[in-house]
Amino acid sequence: MRLFAATIATESNTFSPMPTSLAAYKECVFLRPGEHPEEAPLMCTAPLWVARRRAAADGFTLIEGSCFAASPAGTTNRADYECMRDEILGQLRAALPVDGVLLGLHGAMVAHGYDDVEGDVVERVRDLVGPKCAIGVELDLHCHLTVKRVKGADVIVLYKEFPHTDVVERAEDLLALVLKTLRGQVKPVMSLYDCRQIGSYPTTLPLMRAFVDRVKAMEGKNGILSISIDHCFPYGDVPELGGRILVVADGDKARGDALATEIGQEFISMRGKTAPQYHEVDEGITAALAVDGQPVVLADPADNAGGGAPSDNTTVLRRLIERRVQNAALGPIWDPVAVRLCFDAGLGATFPLRLGGKIGPASGLPIDAEGAVTGLKRDCWQSFGPTQVPLGDCAAVRLGGVEVVLITNRNQALGLELFSNLGIDPRAKKLLVVKSTNHFMAAYGPIAKQVLYIDADGPLCRDYRKIPYQKIQRPIWPLDEVTTPRLIV
Ligand SMILES: [Zn+2]
Protein backbone atom coordinates (compact mmCIF):
# COMPACT_ATOMS: atom_id res chain seq x y z
CA MET A 1 0.00 0.00 0.00
CA ARG A 2 1.38 3.40 -0.99
CA LEU A 3 0.34 6.72 0.58
CA PHE A 4 1.46 10.19 -0.47
CA ALA A 5 1.37 13.14 1.99
CA ALA A 6 1.99 16.87 1.60
CA THR A 7 1.00 20.26 3.00
CA ILE A 8 0.17 23.64 1.54
CA ALA A 9 -1.41 25.97 4.06
CA THR A 10 -2.07 29.43 5.35
CA GLU A 11 -5.05 31.33 6.72
CA SER A 12 -5.79 34.20 4.36
CA ASN A 13 -7.33 37.35 5.75
CA THR A 14 -8.47 38.90 2.48
CA PHE A 15 -8.89 42.27 4.23
CA SER A 16 -5.28 42.27 5.46
CA PRO A 17 -2.94 44.90 3.95
CA MET A 18 -0.03 42.43 4.10
CA PRO A 19 0.23 40.25 0.98
CA THR A 20 1.59 36.71 1.41
CA SER A 21 4.41 35.67 -0.91
CA LEU A 22 6.88 32.79 -1.10
CA ALA A 23 9.03 34.70 1.41
CA ALA A 24 6.35 34.23 4.10
CA TYR A 25 6.31 30.44 3.50
CA LYS A 26 10.10 30.34 3.63
CA GLU A 27 9.98 32.11 7.00
CA CYS A 28 7.44 29.62 8.38
CA VAL A 29 7.37 26.08 6.90
CA PHE A 30 9.21 25.33 3.66
CA LEU A 31 10.30 21.70 3.63
CA ARG A 32 11.19 19.42 0.76
CA PRO A 33 10.58 15.63 0.88
CA GLY A 34 12.35 14.06 3.85
CA GLU A 35 13.18 17.40 5.48
CA HIS A 36 10.30 17.42 7.97
CA PRO A 37 11.69 17.26 11.53
CA GLU A 38 11.06 14.11 13.59
CA GLU A 39 10.14 15.76 16.88
CA ALA A 40 6.78 17.37 16.23
CA PRO A 41 4.44 18.43 13.44
CA LEU A 42 4.59 22.01 12.22
CA MET A 43 1.72 24.19 11.01
CA CYS A 44 -0.77 21.85 9.24
CA THR A 45 1.78 19.06 8.69
CA ALA A 46 0.30 16.58 11.18
CA PRO A 47 -1.03 14.14 8.53
CA LEU A 48 2.46 13.63 7.08
CA TRP A 49 4.08 13.46 10.53
CA VAL A 50 1.55 10.95 11.87
CA ALA A 51 1.78 8.82 8.70
CA ARG A 52 5.56 8.72 8.94
CA ARG A 53 5.38 7.36 12.49
CA ARG A 54 2.72 4.80 11.66
CA ALA A 55 3.89 3.55 8.24
CA ALA A 56 5.90 0.54 9.41
CA ALA A 57 3.35 -0.70 11.96
CA ASP A 58 0.40 -0.19 9.61
CA GLY A 59 2.17 -1.77 6.65
CA PHE A 60 2.22 1.04 4.11
CA THR A 61 4.90 2.98 2.27
CA LEU A 62 4.80 6.74 2.77
CA ILE A 63 5.94 8.93 -0.09
CA GLU A 64 6.61 12.38 1.35
CA GLY A 65 5.84 15.48 -0.65
CA SER A 66 6.77 19.06 0.20
CA CYS A 67 5.27 20.98 3.12
CA PHE A 68 4.60 24.69 2.69
CA ALA A 69 2.87 26.86 5.31
CA ALA A 70 2.79 30.57 6.06
CA SER A 71 1.59 32.50 9.12
CA PRO A 72 -1.83 34.08 8.63
CA ALA A 73 -1.76 37.31 6.59
CA GLY A 74 -3.26 38.58 3.35
CA THR A 75 -4.03 36.82 0.06
CA THR A 76 -1.22 34.68 -1.36
CA ASN A 77 0.55 35.78 -4.53
CA ARG A 78 -0.87 33.80 -7.46
CA ALA A 79 2.37 32.73 -9.11
CA ASP A 80 3.83 31.67 -5.76
CA TYR A 81 0.77 29.53 -4.96
CA GLU A 82 0.84 27.88 -8.37
CA CYS A 83 4.55 27.22 -8.04
CA MET A 84 4.15 25.44 -4.66
CA ARG A 85 1.02 23.58 -5.79
CA ASP A 86 2.64 22.39 -8.99
CA GLU A 87 5.71 21.21 -7.11
CA ILE A 88 3.51 18.99 -4.93
CA LEU A 89 1.49 17.77 -7.92
CA GLY A 90 4.72 16.93 -9.73
CA GLN A 91 5.90 14.88 -6.74
CA LEU A 92 2.56 13.07 -6.67
CA ARG A 93 2.72 12.35 -10.41
CA ALA A 94 6.20 10.89 -9.95
CA ALA A 95 4.95 8.74 -7.06
CA LEU A 96 2.06 7.15 -8.99
CA PRO A 97 0.46 4.72 -8.58
CA VAL A 98 -0.64 5.53 -5.01
CA ASP A 99 -3.53 4.06 -3.01
CA GLY A 100 -4.09 7.07 -0.79
CA VAL A 101 -3.26 10.77 -0.46
CA LEU A 102 -3.09 12.66 2.86
CA LEU A 103 -3.27 16.42 2.63
CA GLY A 104 -2.53 18.69 5.58
CA LEU A 105 -4.26 21.90 4.52
CA HIS A 106 -5.58 24.82 6.52
CA GLY A 107 -8.84 25.35 4.71
CA ALA A 108 -8.96 29.15 4.63
CA MET A 109 -6.19 29.82 2.11
CA VAL A 110 -6.94 32.27 -0.68
CA ALA A 111 -4.63 33.09 -3.58
CA HIS A 112 -5.23 35.76 -6.21
CA GLY A 113 -7.53 34.08 -8.71
CA TYR A 114 -8.33 31.19 -6.32
CA ASP A 115 -11.05 31.76 -3.73
CA ASP A 116 -11.02 28.03 -2.94
CA VAL A 117 -7.37 26.98 -2.91
CA GLU A 118 -8.05 23.71 -1.10
CA GLY A 119 -10.79 22.84 -3.59
CA ASP A 120 -8.33 23.50 -6.39
CA VAL A 121 -5.70 21.28 -4.78
CA VAL A 122 -8.15 18.43 -4.11
CA GLU A 123 -9.54 18.61 -7.65
CA ARG A 124 -6.09 18.48 -9.25
CA VAL A 125 -5.00 15.64 -6.96
CA ARG A 126 -8.14 13.70 -7.90
CA ASP A 127 -7.45 14.25 -11.60
CA LEU A 128 -4.01 12.69 -11.12
CA VAL A 129 -4.84 9.75 -8.87
CA GLY A 130 -8.19 8.69 -10.33
CA PRO A 131 -11.47 7.75 -8.63
CA LYS A 132 -10.28 4.68 -6.69
CA CYS A 133 -7.55 6.40 -4.66
CA ALA A 134 -8.63 7.52 -1.15
CA ILE A 135 -8.01 11.23 -0.57
CA GLY A 136 -7.98 12.29 3.10
CA VAL A 137 -7.75 15.94 4.18
CA GLU A 138 -7.20 17.53 7.59
CA LEU A 139 -8.40 21.12 8.00
CA ASP A 140 -8.43 23.79 10.69
CA LEU A 141 -11.94 24.41 12.00
CA HIS A 142 -11.55 28.04 10.86
CA CYS A 143 -12.02 27.09 7.23
CA HIS A 144 -14.30 27.45 4.23
CA LEU A 145 -15.69 23.94 3.85
CA THR A 146 -16.66 24.23 0.20
CA VAL A 147 -18.80 21.85 -1.83
CA LYS A 148 -15.95 21.36 -4.28
CA ARG A 149 -13.52 19.98 -1.72
CA VAL A 150 -16.14 17.81 -0.01
CA LYS A 151 -17.10 16.29 -3.36
CA GLY A 152 -13.47 15.82 -4.38
CA ALA A 153 -12.16 14.14 -1.21
CA ASP A 154 -13.11 10.83 0.40
CA VAL A 155 -12.65 11.87 4.02
CA ILE A 156 -12.23 15.32 5.57
CA VAL A 157 -11.52 15.75 9.29
CA LEU A 158 -11.41 19.14 11.03
CA TYR A 159 -9.86 20.04 14.39
CA LYS A 160 -12.50 19.99 17.11
CA GLU A 161 -10.81 22.20 19.69
CA PHE A 162 -10.34 25.98 19.78
CA PRO A 163 -7.60 26.59 21.01
CA HIS A 164 -6.36 23.92 18.59
CA THR A 165 -4.98 21.33 20.98
CA ASP A 166 -6.10 18.26 19.01
CA VAL A 167 -4.27 18.66 15.69
CA VAL A 168 -2.36 15.38 16.07
CA GLU A 169 -5.37 13.40 17.30
CA ARG A 170 -7.44 14.50 14.31
CA ALA A 171 -4.62 13.58 11.92
CA GLU A 172 -4.61 10.13 13.55
CA ASP A 173 -8.39 9.90 13.03
CA LEU A 174 -7.89 10.83 9.38
CA LEU A 175 -5.15 8.29 8.76
CA ALA A 176 -7.16 5.55 10.48
CA LEU A 177 -10.19 6.27 8.28
CA VAL A 178 -8.13 6.35 5.10
CA LEU A 179 -6.49 3.02 5.98
CA LYS A 180 -9.85 1.40 6.83
CA THR A 181 -11.21 2.68 3.52
CA LEU A 182 -8.30 1.18 1.61
CA ARG A 183 -8.69 -2.15 3.42
CA GLY A 184 -12.37 -2.22 2.47
CA GLN A 185 -13.49 -2.03 6.11
CA VAL A 186 -15.50 1.17 5.67
CA LYS A 187 -17.04 3.11 2.81
CA PRO A 188 -17.06 6.80 3.76
CA VAL A 189 -19.80 9.07 2.41
CA MET A 190 -19.93 12.73 3.37
CA SER A 191 -22.94 14.93 4.16
CA LEU A 192 -22.56 18.69 4.50
CA TYR A 193 -25.10 20.98 6.16
CA ASP A 194 -24.78 24.73 5.64
CA CYS A 195 -25.85 26.62 8.78
CA ARG A 196 -25.68 30.06 7.08
CA GLN A 197 -23.96 31.76 10.01
CA ILE A 198 -20.78 33.56 10.98
CA GLY A 199 -19.60 33.25 14.55
CA SER A 200 -16.82 32.66 17.06
CA TYR A 201 -16.90 29.48 19.10
CA PRO A 202 -14.11 29.03 21.66
CA THR A 203 -14.48 25.48 22.94
CA THR A 204 -13.28 26.61 26.35
CA LEU A 205 -16.71 28.16 27.06
CA PRO A 206 -19.44 25.88 28.50
CA LEU A 207 -22.08 25.78 25.74
CA MET A 208 -19.61 24.96 22.97
CA ARG A 209 -17.65 22.58 25.23
CA ALA A 210 -20.78 20.50 25.84
CA PHE A 211 -21.68 20.56 22.13
CA VAL A 212 -18.25 19.29 21.06
CA ASP A 213 -18.24 16.57 23.74
CA ARG A 214 -21.69 15.39 22.64
CA VAL A 215 -20.63 15.27 18.99
CA LYS A 216 -17.44 13.34 19.83
CA ALA A 217 -19.49 10.75 21.70
CA MET A 218 -21.51 10.06 18.51
CA GLU A 219 -18.44 9.07 16.49
CA GLY A 220 -17.51 5.45 15.94
CA LYS A 221 -21.01 4.07 16.46
CA ASN A 222 -24.31 3.69 14.58
CA GLY A 223 -22.47 3.87 11.28
CA ILE A 224 -21.03 7.35 11.92
CA LEU A 225 -17.30 7.56 11.23
CA SER A 226 -16.55 11.23 11.89
CA ILE A 227 -18.27 14.53 12.61
CA SER A 228 -16.70 17.96 12.08
CA ILE A 229 -17.96 21.36 13.17
CA ASP A 230 -16.72 24.03 10.77
CA HIS A 231 -16.63 27.29 12.75
CA CYS A 232 -15.83 29.34 9.60
CA PHE A 233 -13.10 31.96 9.13
CA PRO A 234 -14.87 35.33 9.17
CA TYR A 235 -12.03 37.35 7.63
CA GLY A 236 -11.73 35.59 4.27
CA ASP A 237 -14.21 37.15 1.86
CA VAL A 238 -15.12 34.14 -0.29
CA PRO A 239 -18.54 32.97 -1.51
CA GLU A 240 -18.76 29.91 0.75
CA LEU A 241 -17.74 31.55 4.03
CA GLY A 242 -19.91 30.26 6.88
CA GLY A 243 -20.42 27.64 9.59
CA ARG A 244 -21.13 24.11 8.33
CA ILE A 245 -21.49 20.61 9.74
CA LEU A 246 -19.77 17.67 8.05
CA VAL A 247 -20.78 14.09 8.80
CA VAL A 248 -18.85 11.12 7.42
CA ALA A 249 -21.07 8.03 7.50
CA ASP A 250 -20.21 4.44 6.64
CA GLY A 251 -21.98 3.83 3.34
CA ASP A 252 -25.34 5.21 4.50
CA LYS A 253 -25.80 8.67 2.98
CA ALA A 254 -29.35 9.08 4.31
CA ARG A 255 -28.13 8.47 7.86
CA GLY A 256 -25.35 11.04 7.43
CA ASP A 257 -27.77 13.55 5.92
CA ALA A 258 -30.16 13.21 8.85
CA LEU A 259 -27.43 13.58 11.46
CA ALA A 260 -25.75 16.54 9.69
CA THR A 261 -29.14 18.27 9.59
CA GLU A 262 -29.87 17.54 13.24
CA ILE A 263 -26.48 18.76 14.47
CA GLY A 264 -26.61 21.72 12.08
CA GLN A 265 -29.93 22.84 13.51
CA GLU A 266 -28.54 22.60 17.03
CA PHE A 267 -25.52 24.71 15.95
CA ILE A 268 -27.95 27.29 14.55
CA SER A 269 -29.82 27.40 17.87
CA MET A 270 -26.55 28.49 19.51
CA ARG A 271 -26.23 31.68 17.44
CA GLY A 272 -25.11 34.62 19.56
CA LYS A 273 -24.51 32.49 22.66
CA THR A 274 -21.02 31.09 22.06
CA ALA A 275 -18.63 34.06 22.10
CA PRO A 276 -17.47 35.94 25.19
CA GLN A 277 -18.80 39.43 25.89
CA TYR A 278 -16.82 42.17 24.11
CA HIS A 279 -16.42 45.58 25.73
CA GLU A 280 -15.82 48.91 24.06
CA VAL A 281 -12.20 49.99 24.62
CA ASP A 282 -12.73 52.50 27.44
CA GLU A 283 -15.43 50.43 29.05
CA GLY A 284 -13.08 47.43 29.03
CA ILE A 285 -10.22 49.38 30.59
CA THR A 286 -12.53 50.77 33.28
CA ALA A 287 -13.93 47.31 34.03
CA ALA A 288 -10.42 45.84 34.23
CA LEU A 289 -9.20 48.55 36.63
CA ALA A 290 -12.23 47.98 38.84
CA VAL A 291 -11.36 44.32 39.42
CA ASP A 292 -10.02 43.63 42.90
CA GLY A 293 -6.69 41.84 42.44
CA GLN A 294 -4.22 41.27 39.63
CA PRO A 295 -3.35 40.64 36.92
CA VAL A 296 -6.44 41.39 34.90
CA VAL A 297 -5.95 40.19 31.34
CA LEU A 298 -7.56 42.32 28.64
CA ALA A 299 -7.61 40.64 25.23
CA ASP A 300 -7.59 42.63 21.99
CA PRO A 301 -8.70 40.02 19.43
CA ALA A 302 -9.30 42.54 16.64
CA ASP A 303 -5.53 42.90 16.20
CA ASN A 304 -4.66 39.20 16.46
CA ALA A 305 -1.73 38.33 14.20
CA GLY A 306 -3.00 34.74 14.29
CA GLY A 307 -5.99 35.87 12.23
CA GLY A 308 -3.87 37.84 9.78
CA ALA A 309 -3.86 41.23 11.54
CA PRO A 310 -0.67 43.32 11.54
CA SER A 311 -0.64 43.51 15.35
CA ASP A 312 0.40 47.15 15.30
CA ASN A 313 -2.92 48.81 16.16
CA THR A 314 -2.38 51.53 18.77
CA THR A 315 -5.89 52.30 19.99
CA VAL A 316 -5.79 50.48 23.33
CA LEU A 317 -2.23 51.63 24.07
CA ARG A 318 -3.15 55.23 23.30
CA ARG A 319 -6.09 55.15 25.71
CA LEU A 320 -3.96 53.58 28.47
CA ILE A 321 -1.39 56.37 28.09
CA GLU A 322 -4.00 59.12 27.87
CA ARG A 323 -5.79 57.78 30.94
CA ARG A 324 -2.46 57.56 32.78
CA VAL A 325 -3.06 53.92 33.71
CA GLN A 326 -0.23 52.63 35.92
CA ASN A 327 1.38 49.20 36.27
CA ALA A 328 0.17 47.94 32.90
CA ALA A 329 1.90 45.92 30.18
CA LEU A 330 0.84 45.43 26.56
CA GLY A 331 2.05 43.11 23.84
CA PRO A 332 2.91 42.27 21.26
CA ILE A 333 3.18 45.23 18.93
CA TRP A 334 4.81 44.17 15.66
CA ASP A 335 7.21 46.94 14.72
CA PRO A 336 10.67 45.77 13.57
CA VAL A 337 11.75 49.34 12.85
CA ALA A 338 10.92 50.49 16.37
CA VAL A 339 12.78 47.45 17.75
CA ARG A 340 15.83 48.50 15.75
CA LEU A 341 15.59 52.04 17.11
CA CYS A 342 15.40 50.72 20.67
CA PHE A 343 18.52 48.61 20.14
CA ASP A 344 20.26 51.65 18.71
CA ALA A 345 19.23 53.76 21.71
CA GLY A 346 20.40 51.10 24.16
CA LEU A 347 19.14 49.67 27.42
CA GLY A 348 18.15 52.36 29.90
CA ALA A 349 17.96 55.12 27.30
CA THR A 350 14.99 57.45 27.01
CA PHE A 351 14.38 58.81 23.53
CA PRO A 352 11.59 60.10 21.28
CA LEU A 353 10.13 56.92 19.79
CA ARG A 354 7.45 56.52 17.12
CA LEU A 355 5.80 53.11 17.30
CA GLY A 356 2.91 51.13 15.81
CA GLY A 357 0.22 52.40 13.46
CA LYS A 358 2.16 51.64 10.30
CA ILE A 359 0.73 48.90 8.13
CA GLY A 360 -2.75 50.07 7.18
CA PRO A 361 -5.79 52.17 8.14
CA ALA A 362 -6.85 49.57 10.73
CA SER A 363 -3.48 50.04 12.46
CA GLY A 364 -4.54 53.49 13.70
CA LEU A 365 -2.03 56.31 13.97
CA PRO A 366 1.48 55.79 15.31
CA ILE A 367 2.25 56.78 18.87
CA ASP A 368 4.93 59.38 19.47
CA ALA A 369 6.27 59.42 23.01
CA GLU A 370 9.37 59.54 25.15
CA GLY A 371 10.13 55.85 25.48
CA ALA A 372 12.39 54.40 28.15
CA VAL A 373 14.06 51.20 26.93
CA THR A 374 13.61 48.68 29.75
CA GLY A 375 14.43 45.43 27.93
CA LEU A 376 16.32 44.24 24.84
CA LYS A 377 16.73 40.66 23.69
CA ARG A 378 18.03 39.15 20.46
CA ASP A 379 16.28 36.07 19.01
CA CYS A 380 13.57 36.19 21.62
CA TRP A 381 10.75 33.62 21.88
CA GLN A 382 7.58 32.62 23.66
CA SER A 383 6.17 29.18 24.30
CA PHE A 384 2.93 27.69 22.96
CA GLY A 385 2.41 24.31 24.56
CA PRO A 386 5.62 22.37 23.93
CA THR A 387 6.70 24.64 21.05
CA GLN A 388 9.08 27.61 21.24
CA VAL A 389 7.71 30.28 18.93
CA PRO A 390 10.44 32.63 17.64
CA LEU A 391 9.77 36.35 18.00
CA GLY A 392 13.03 37.69 16.57
CA ASP A 393 14.72 40.64 18.23
CA CYS A 394 12.44 42.21 20.84
CA ALA A 395 12.38 45.37 22.95
CA ALA A 396 10.41 46.55 25.94
CA VAL A 397 9.73 50.27 26.31
CA ARG A 398 7.99 52.16 29.10
CA LEU A 399 5.55 54.84 27.99
CA GLY A 400 4.12 56.48 31.11
CA GLY A 401 2.73 53.66 33.24
CA VAL A 402 2.65 51.12 30.42
CA GLU A 403 5.41 48.72 29.41
CA VAL A 404 5.09 47.73 25.76
CA VAL A 405 6.66 44.68 24.12
CA LEU A 406 7.79 45.27 20.53
CA ILE A 407 8.55 42.24 18.36
CA THR A 408 10.23 41.56 15.01
CA ASN A 409 8.54 38.28 13.94
CA ARG A 410 4.82 38.98 13.74
CA ASN A 411 2.93 36.79 16.18
CA GLN A 412 0.05 36.82 18.66
CA ALA A 413 0.41 36.66 22.45
CA LEU A 414 0.78 33.00 23.40
CA GLY A 415 3.21 32.41 26.29
CA LEU A 416 4.11 34.43 29.39
CA GLU A 417 7.70 34.68 28.08
CA LEU A 418 6.45 37.36 25.70
CA PHE A 419 6.78 39.61 28.76
CA SER A 420 9.09 37.74 31.15
CA ASN A 421 11.93 37.32 28.62
CA LEU A 422 12.14 41.11 28.54
CA GLY A 423 12.18 41.49 32.31
CA ILE A 424 8.47 42.18 32.77
CA ASP A 425 6.81 39.98 35.40
CA PRO A 426 3.29 39.42 34.06
CA ARG A 427 1.99 38.35 37.49
CA ALA A 428 3.15 41.66 39.02
CA LYS A 429 1.09 43.79 36.64
CA LYS A 430 -2.34 45.16 37.43
CA LEU A 431 -3.32 45.05 33.78
CA LEU A 432 -2.01 42.86 30.95
CA VAL A 433 -3.24 43.65 27.44
CA VAL A 434 -2.67 40.81 24.95
CA LYS A 435 -3.27 40.84 21.20
CA SER A 436 -4.86 37.42 20.64
CA THR A 437 -8.33 35.91 20.21
CA ASN A 438 -8.27 32.80 22.38
CA HIS A 439 -4.91 30.98 22.11
CA PHE A 440 -3.52 33.24 24.89
CA MET A 441 -5.89 31.54 27.33
CA ALA A 442 -3.69 28.46 27.68
CA ALA A 443 -0.94 30.46 29.45
CA TYR A 444 -2.69 33.63 30.63
CA GLY A 445 -5.99 32.10 31.78
CA PRO A 446 -4.37 30.31 34.76
CA ILE A 447 -2.57 33.45 36.08
CA ALA A 448 -5.41 35.90 35.44
CA LYS A 449 -7.55 37.24 38.24
CA GLN A 450 -10.05 37.88 35.48
CA VAL A 451 -10.06 37.86 31.66
CA LEU A 452 -11.97 40.54 29.77
CA TYR A 453 -12.34 40.99 26.01
CA ILE A 454 -12.52 44.23 24.08
CA ASP A 455 -13.56 44.94 20.52
CA ALA A 456 -11.11 47.59 19.37
CA ASP A 457 -10.70 48.95 15.82
CA GLY A 458 -8.09 46.47 14.55
CA PRO A 459 -8.88 44.67 11.30
CA LEU A 460 -10.46 41.58 12.90
CA CYS A 461 -13.67 43.32 13.89
CA ARG A 462 -15.82 41.16 16.17
CA ASP A 463 -19.04 42.66 14.82
CA TYR A 464 -19.26 40.82 11.50
CA ARG A 465 -21.94 43.21 10.25
CA LYS A 466 -19.25 45.90 9.97
CA ILE A 467 -16.94 43.83 7.71
CA PRO A 468 -17.03 45.09 4.09
CA TYR A 469 -17.77 41.72 2.45
CA GLN A 470 -18.11 41.68 -1.34
CA LYS A 471 -18.18 38.00 -2.31
CA ILE A 472 -19.93 36.22 0.54
CA GLN A 473 -23.22 34.49 -0.34
CA ARG A 474 -26.25 36.07 1.32
CA PRO A 475 -28.37 35.76 3.32
CA ILE A 476 -26.14 34.86 6.25
CA TRP A 477 -26.50 35.56 9.98
CA PRO A 478 -25.75 38.05 11.57
CA LEU A 479 -25.62 40.14 8.38
CA ASP A 480 -29.18 39.00 7.67
CA GLU A 481 -31.84 38.01 10.18
CA VAL A 482 -33.64 35.51 7.93
CA THR A 483 -31.48 32.73 6.47
CA THR A 484 -32.09 29.43 4.68
CA PRO A 485 -29.88 26.72 6.19
CA ARG A 486 -29.86 23.47 4.21
CA LEU A 487 -28.07 20.28 3.29
CA ILE A 488 -25.74 21.06 0.39
CA VAL A 489 -23.87 17.79 -0.15
ZN1 LIG B 1 -7.91 28.10 13.53
Side-chain angles (χ1 to χ4, degrees), residues 320-321 324-329 398-403 429:
L320 292 175
I321 295 169
R324 297 192 162 77
V325 171
Q326 298 300 308
N327 198 23
R398 190 166 51 237
L399 307 171
V402 190
E403 286 192 272
K429 291 291 167 191

Side-chain angles (χ1 to χ4, degrees), residues 132-155:
K132 284 190 189 139
C133 175
I135 300 177
V137 182
E138 185 183 33
L139 299 176
D140 190 297
L141 52 78
H142 296 116
C143 70
H144 313 298
L145 198 46
T146 67
V147 169
K148 186 178 188 177
R149 63 185 81 162
V150 171
K151 286 190 169 165
D154 293 276
V155 184

Side-chain angles (χ1 to χ4, degrees), residues 11 106 140-142 159 162 164 439:
E11 183 181 75
H106 179 286
D140 190 297
L141 52 78
H142 296 116
Y159 313 157
F162 176 38
H164 307 325
H439 287 333

Side-chain angles (χ1 to χ4, degrees), residues 235 277-284 298-303 313 315-316 452-464 466:
Y235 309 103
Q277 185 198 350
Y278 295 105
H279 297 275
E280 297 292 320
V281 174
D282 269 295
E283 180 194 295
L298 198 56
D300 177 9
D303 200 23
N313 176 284
T315 300
V316 180
L452 297 169
Y453 295 81
I454 43 175
D455 189 10
D457 57 350
L460 274 58
C461 175
R462 309 311 293 175
D463 183 348
Y464 309 117
K466 292 181 185 163

